[in-house]
Amino acid sequence: MSNRPSQTTIAAIATPLGRGGIGVIRLSGAKAVQITEQLTGKPIAKARQASFARFLDEHAATIDEGLVLHFPAPNSFTGEDVVELQGHGGMVVQNALLARLLALGATAAGAGEFSSRAFANGKMDLVQAEAIADLIDAASTQAARSAVRSLQGEFSTRIQVVLEQLIHLRLHVEAAIDFPEEEIDFLADGRILALLEEVIEAIKAVFASARQGQLLREGLQVVIAGKPNAGKSSLLNALAGVDRAIVTHIAGTTRDVLHEKITLNGLPITLTDTAGLRETDDVVEIEGIRRAYTQIEQADLLLLVYDLTADSEPLVLAKAFFEDDLHHNLDQKRLIFIGNKADLSTQPIGIGEKDGFRQVTLSAKQKLGIDELVQLISQQAGYQPEENTFIARTRHIDALSRCLQGLDDAKIQLVEYRAGELMAESLRLAQNALSEITGEFTADDLLGKIFGSFCIGK
């Protein structure tokens, strides 16, 4: 977030640079109207009323022409005077117009500076500001809808409701501490414990919804691994719905990693095909296998493909491939066995278990069993698409986790030790963690990091 004084008037191109029919430049700040009138050579029109104007250079020659829109403070996106100039698209004309605005006294806006001013001026909270960037970056329709719900305040409202419950609980605890001479032991009467458990359940419900939102925003990294000719590339093509990977009968055809972004049941997925894992003297293939292991280490979900007509013990293969990191790569929630070439075997197509791991028996070539695999990927990821899901980020999950930890600590202090002061401190930490989500108690360096990830012009 910029440290510039709020009275500075900022300007930025709000549309992507390139060739286009329309290009928008926006200004925000106390001198937005003055600069615009100098640019056009005439008074600005009524608020929120589009008017035609020519945009002039220092010699009164026309740079471009288009529409001018004025949104007076405080009823604007940033809460300041905002002017939008709608001209023609194109890098040359847009850059020339922006340069003229800077010459007239505007300052080039930094990444996310318009949104950071909206946050600073109370036009939105931090969750809503982040939702703007998430809506722009949405990789699926479901993610876009969830971002809109966060932008409209659904996530913030749920956080605020729980915050009020938590504050109410803290009042009871503080009262019990402040009036120890009362005959009633407020810590032992059961009411505080009941209130605490209500808050814990409410946070767990928000956490579950936020986890779905995090999956929608960040997607899932799914890596396909296995021996050469097991059908890895065929599986990528079947899941992607297009022939992205070259498929031949020659072992070692895939020598590099191949990424494909797809959406399954509304869940954004980065699907990665890797080189076949085997011993080889081929220098290029060795490098491909090294890159394959790098991708495997980073995977959220690992699909180990094996040939049903040649291999019958996928666990043996898994241990051979991952012997250096058994605990991580052989996690039952992370690894799925894919028995391929079912069309050439007697194995029934569908979802089952093998050596304690989930398995899908399918034919990638014939595209049989793909629907079952998509279903299992969603299950393993814990993804359950809901209409009321809101978008969420890793920092939200972290804050909710710390809030839950504080509440659990508070319960221990209450139930086991009757330590009111320690319970009160745990509740305070829980409240601070929860308040970080909306930005009520967020450090400036975190704000800078968040808004710095936005695009310029937003």
Side-chain angles (χ1 to χ4, degrees):
M1 187 167 65
S2 173
N3 291 321
R4 280 200 289 265
S6 60
Q7 63 266 27
T8 304
T9 297
I10 55 175
I13 299 171
T15 45
L17 290 177
R19 187 169 180 268
I22 298 175
V24 177
I25 292 181
R26 57 184 358 187
L27 299 97
S28 179
K31 294 184 178 180
V33 172
Q34 175 188 328
I35 292 173
T36 301
E37 290 179 343
Q38 289 179 273
L39 176 74
T40 61
K42 66 178 186 179
I44 204 161
K46 293 180 181 179
R48 295 176 182 76
Q49 181 176 328
S51 63
F52 174 81
R54 288 184 173 86
F55 309 138
L56 310 175
D57 66 13
E58 66 272 23
H59 305 296
T62 301
I63 300 172
D64 194 11
E65 58 183 28
L67 299 179
V68 177
L69 273 167
H70 174 216
F71 303 91
N75 300 313
S76 68
F77 175 75
T78 62
E80 304 171 335
D81 275 343
V82 172
V83 175
E84 287 194 358
L85 308 175
Q86 300 180 9
H88 295 91
M91 293 180 64
V92 173
V93 66
Q94 289 278 284
N95 284 329
L97 184 51
L98 178 60
R100 178 59 179 154
L101 293 172
L102 300 182
L104 290 172
T107 302
E113 192 163 357
F114 289 90
S115 297
S116 70
R117 290 195 176 195
F119 169 72
N121 292 326
K123 303 300 291 185
M124 62 180 68
D125 63 28
L126 192 53
V127 169
Q128 291 172 301
E130 290 171 313
I132 295 172
D134 294 335
L135 179 59
I136 293 170
D137 295 335
S140 69
T141 301
Q142 184 67 33
R145 289 174 179 170
S146 296
V148 168
R149 279 190 283 273
S150 287
L151 180 58
Q152 292 175 335
E154 289 191 23
F155 188 9
S156 303
T157 298
R158 291 188 65 177
I159 294 298
Q160 190 59 42
V161 168
V162 182
L163 266 173
E164 290 175 1
Q165 289 179 276
L166 184 48
I167 292 170
H168 182 62
L169 171 61
R170 288 189 65 193
L171 289 175
H172 277 75
V173 175
E174 296 291 347
I177 296 171
D178 291 341
F179 300 99
E181 69 277 1
E182 297 292 334
E183 295 182 0
I184 301 175
D185 184 354
F186 289 100
L187 293 180
D189 68 359
R191 176 162 175 74
I192 287 182
L193 179 58
L195 291 173
L196 176 57
E197 290 179 339
E198 285 179 14
V199 175
I200 290 174
E201 290 305 312
I203 286 293
K204 286 181 177 179
V206 175
F207 186 92
S209 294
R211 175 58 182 145
Q212 297 300 309
Q214 182 191 33
L215 285 171
L216 280 174
R217 180 183 182 274
E218 299 180 2
L220 202 66
Q221 301 291 326
V222 178
V223 173
I224 303 172
K227 292 170 62 176
N229 273 358
K232 301 182 301 300
S233 297
S234 295
L235 180 59
L236 180 139
N237 291 341
L239 286 168
V242 293
D243 290 337
R244 285 284 286 114
I246 298 174
V247 177
T248 74
H249 67 282
I250 302 172
T253 299
T254 301
R255 295 191 171 197
D256 202 349
V257 295
L258 177 64
H259 301 288
E260 181 73 6
K261 292 186 179 296
I262 62 175
T263 301
L264 300 178
N265 288 341
L267 177 63
I269 288 177
T270 299
L271 197 61
T272 301
D273 185 20
T274 60
L277 305 178
R278 66 171 177 176
E279 294 291 334
T280 178
D281 295 326
D282 188 299
V283 175
V284 177
E285 195 173 352
I286 288 173
E287 174 60 19
I289 293 171
R290 185 194 67 79
R291 296 185 182 189
Y293 276 112
T294 299
Q295 295 298 315
I296 289 168
E297 287 301 312
Q298 298 171 352
D300 296 314
L301 205 57
L302 179 61
L303 308 182
L304 177 58
V305 183
Y306 71 100
D307 185 344
L308 289 168
T309 66
D311 298 301
S312 59
E313 300 297 335
L315 185 58
V316 174
L317 293 176
K319 289 181 177 179
F321 293 150
F322 312 133
E323 59 183 355
D324 294 331
D325 194 3
L326 295 181
H327 176 71
H328 181 53
N329 288 319
L330 294 187
D331 187 293
Q332 292 179 339
K333 291 184 178 180
R334 187 174 179 268
L335 175 64
I336 297 177
F337 292 146
I338 306 295
N340 189 31
K341 304 184 183 181
D343 53 314
L344 302 179
S345 75
T346 59
Q347 297 290 329
I349 289 171
I351 300 173
E353 286 197 8
K354 184 77 172 178
D355 298 320
F357 291 84
R358 303 304 299 275
Q359 170 168 299
V360 180
T361 305
L362 52 77
S363 169
K365 183 178 181 180
Q366 300 296 328
K367 296 181 174 60
L368 302 174
I370 300 301
D371 289 342
E372 288 82 353
L373 175 56
V374 171
Q375 175 188 343
L376 185 56
I377 288 174
S378 295
Q379 289 177 358
Q380 293 291 94
Y383 175 64
Q384 299 174 333
E386 302 172 357
E387 283 303 313
N388 61 347
T389 299
F390 45 77
I391 210 74
R393 297 185 170 206
T394 300
R395 78 168 192 91
H396 303 151
I397 299 296
D398 174 66
L400 289 168
S401 296
R402 285 185 285 114
C403 178
L404 269 175
Q405 182 61 57
L407 295 173
D408 288 339
D409 290 343
K411 187 173 181 179
I412 292 173
Q413 300 301 336
L414 172 64
V415 175
E416 296 186 15
Y417 303 110
R418 301 291 182 200
E421 291 84 356
L422 296 178
M423 180 186 183
E425 176 61 13
S426 295
L427 293 177
R428 185 188 67 81
L429 294 174
Q431 181 181 339
N432 286 351
L434 198 57
S435 296
E436 287 179 13
I437 294 176
T438 56
E440 187 176 347
F441 292 117
T442 303
D444 287 342
D445 57 344
L446 177 58
L447 293 178
K449 184 177 181 181
I450 289 170
F451 287 111
S453 68
F454 286 27
C455 55
I456 292 177
K458 252 314 181 187

